Amino acid sequence: QSIEDLTQNALQELSQIDNPDELEQWRVRILGRRGELTGILRGLAQLDLEERRQVGALGNQAKAALEEGLEKRGRDISEARLAQVADLERIDVTLPGRPVATGRLHPTTQVLREITDAFVAMGFSIVEGPEVEWDHYNFEMLNIPQGHPARDMWNTLWVDYVNELRTHTSPMQARVMESVQPPVRVIVPGKCYRYEATDATHEWHFYQVEGLAVDEGITFADLKGTLYEFARRLFGTERKVRFRCDYFPFVEPGVDIDSSCRICRGSGWIEIMGAGMVHPRVLAGVGYDPEKYTGFAFGLGPERIAMLKYGIDDIRHFYSNDLRFLRQF
């Protein structure tokens, strides 16, 4: 009778438990080594053999029923807690994601994207090239042979006797024209390196965006129209742009393009790119017929564009890793 009463009372109490801590306390009190059921079963030794067999069988049945009830109640409590968590922390996957603060784009990266977007809108494609470049492409294919004095304009950092850190992204002019036939409309963003002194407008490592267009009938007017449109898209119509004659071995004629600059000392202008009509020798060197095809090329520095756009007075800020500077963008 004690076993039956204990079983009924324990199962009834078990049905009222709703948290894991109370469930564990119930298990220890009822089924533990010093639990109530164990205490009753220890009294079997005082019974005769036949009663011991009957009461022992009843005790095993009670223990099995209590353990089964314990397992079921534990499962119910666990499922109820999971359902509660699922309800409280439910995620509606159809909702748009929440923005997460993962840092900012570097100002150079921001301006690079604006530059490429402007030229892509005008029909140019984006290509990239190696930063460690052959001398053959960095100089010779651009009409700058060994011993040419123009090499002094692009002092470079050599990796070995034939490879160097590229001084401009212009080598991709030759690489692209060797691989495709006109018409060609590409821009080449990338990192460049030069062995030179640094100042407020010069760095020894910087980004450059090279541009190239080759087709039948391209004239200098196409060059001016493209670059004027680029300046209008990037700076707005109020910014003034001027062209000045300059020399680059891989173009003829060559020009510098300056932009009016509110923060520049002296003349109030800053050079933002060099450009010109692709030299016939460069066209012939890649197998194009210079009597049939003409083209223009240009190269600009995103850091200088960013200086104009955001009023930055020193190009060295871009690579100083000063968070006070970077957080402004």
Side-chain angles (χ1 to χ4, degrees):
Q1 186 63 42
S2 298
I3 293 175
E4 291 177 355
D5 291 344
L6 172 65
T7 303
Q8 292 177 5
N9 294 334
L11 289 176
Q12 184 177 2
E13 184 182 349
L14 183 64
S15 66
Q16 306 299 318
I17 295 175
D18 59 2
N19 70 74
D21 292 337
E22 292 181 5
L23 192 66
E24 177 62 14
Q25 293 172 11
W26 181 93
R27 184 194 68 78
V28 172
R29 181 164 50 82
I30 302 298
L31 296 172
R33 293 177 59 186
R34 300 191 180 193
E36 295 179 16
L37 179 62
T38 306
I40 294 175
L41 295 178
R42 284 200 184 105
L44 292 177
Q46 301 173 6
L47 304 176
D48 58 36
L49 183 61
E50 183 62 28
E51 289 176 331
R52 194 183 307 164
R53 186 182 297 116
Q54 294 175 2
V55 176
L58 185 60
N60 289 335
Q61 292 174 11
K63 185 177 181 180
L66 292 170
E67 287 179 344
E68 182 182 353
L70 175 68
E71 181 180 356
K72 182 178 183 303
R73 190 59 187 162
R75 192 163 53 246
D76 292 344
I77 292 174
S78 178
E79 291 175 357
R81 289 175 66 86
L82 287 175
Q84 183 181 22
V85 170
D87 186 59
L88 293 175
E89 301 182 6
R90 181 176 56 188
I91 298 175
D92 186 348
V93 296
T94 64
L95 291 174
R98 298 188 178 108
V100 178
T102 55
R104 299 173 175 85
L105 291 176
H106 192 278
T108 300
T109 303
Q110 294 183 37
V111 172
L112 265 173
R113 292 186 177 186
E114 292 184 44
I115 292 171
T116 55
D117 287 347
F119 283 111
V120 167
M122 290 187 276
F124 286 76
S125 300
I126 302 173
V127 297
E128 295 182 341
E131 292 185 19
V132 178
E133 186 57 275
W134 294 95
D135 179 82
H136 174 73
Y137 287 106
N138 198 70
F139 290 121
E140 294 181 10
M141 292 294 286
L142 298 175
N143 196 32
I144 314 175
Q146 289 284 348
H148 195 291
R151 290 200 178 207
D152 292 340
M153 299 167 59
W154 291 280
N155 289 330
T156 189
L157 302 170
W158 291 87
V159 177
D160 53 36
Y161 291 109
V162 294
N163 292 292
E164 60 212 34
L165 296 179
R166 65 183 179 188
T167 56
H168 43 191
T169 52
S170 302
M172 283 303 294
Q173 286 189 37
R175 287 182 177 272
V176 168
M177 288 189 288
E178 281 182 337
S179 61
V180 300
Q181 290 296 310
V184 175
R185 304 280 192 284
V186 296
I187 55 173
V188 189
K191 194 80 174 287
C192 303
Y193 308 85
R194 292 183 189 173
Y195 183 65
E196 63 178 43
T198 62
D199 57 33
T201 57
H202 294 83
E203 258 286 7
W204 71 271
H205 59 122
F206 53 92
Y207 278 84
Q208 188 181 61
V209 178
E210 179 79 12
L212 174 70
V214 178
D215 203 353
E216 296 184 48
I218 289 182
T219 68
F220 196 84
D222 297 309
L223 165 65
K224 292 188 71 174
T226 300
L227 298 184
Y228 271 127
E229 174 64 13
F230 163 74
R232 185 190 68 80
R233 287 174 179 264
L234 211 66
F235 300 121
T237 55
E238 73 283 355
R239 185 79 66 171
K240 296 181 180 179
V241 178
R242 71 179 184 183
F243 285 69
R244 294 181 295 114
C245 293
D246 202 349
Y247 168 74
F248 302 100
F250 36 89
V251 294
E252 179 61 38
V255 292
D256 273 334
I257 294 91
D258 299 337
S259 173
S260 57
C261 177
R262 299 186 304 274
I263 61 173
C264 299
R265 302 179 183 89
S267 66
W269 295 86
I270 185 172
E271 177 190 345
I272 58 172
M273 70 176 82
M277 301 300 292
V278 180
H279 200 291
R281 290 180 185 172
V282 174
L283 295 173
V286 297
Y288 287 6
D289 182 357
E291 297 295 325
K292 180 179 181 182
Y293 296 110
T294 55
F296 63 80
F298 55 87
L300 62 146
E303 286 90 356
R304 288 193 176 182
I305 300 296
M307 291 173 70
L308 288 170
K309 192 172 181 64
Y310 299 119
I312 301 169
D313 61 0
D314 196 320
I315 196 172
R316 291 168 291 194
H317 290 320
F318 289 97
Y319 300 104
S320 65
N321 296 323
D322 189 333
L323 292 179
R324 294 171 301 176
F325 170 76
L326 297 175
R327 283 174 179 151
Q328 299 178 62
F329 304 94

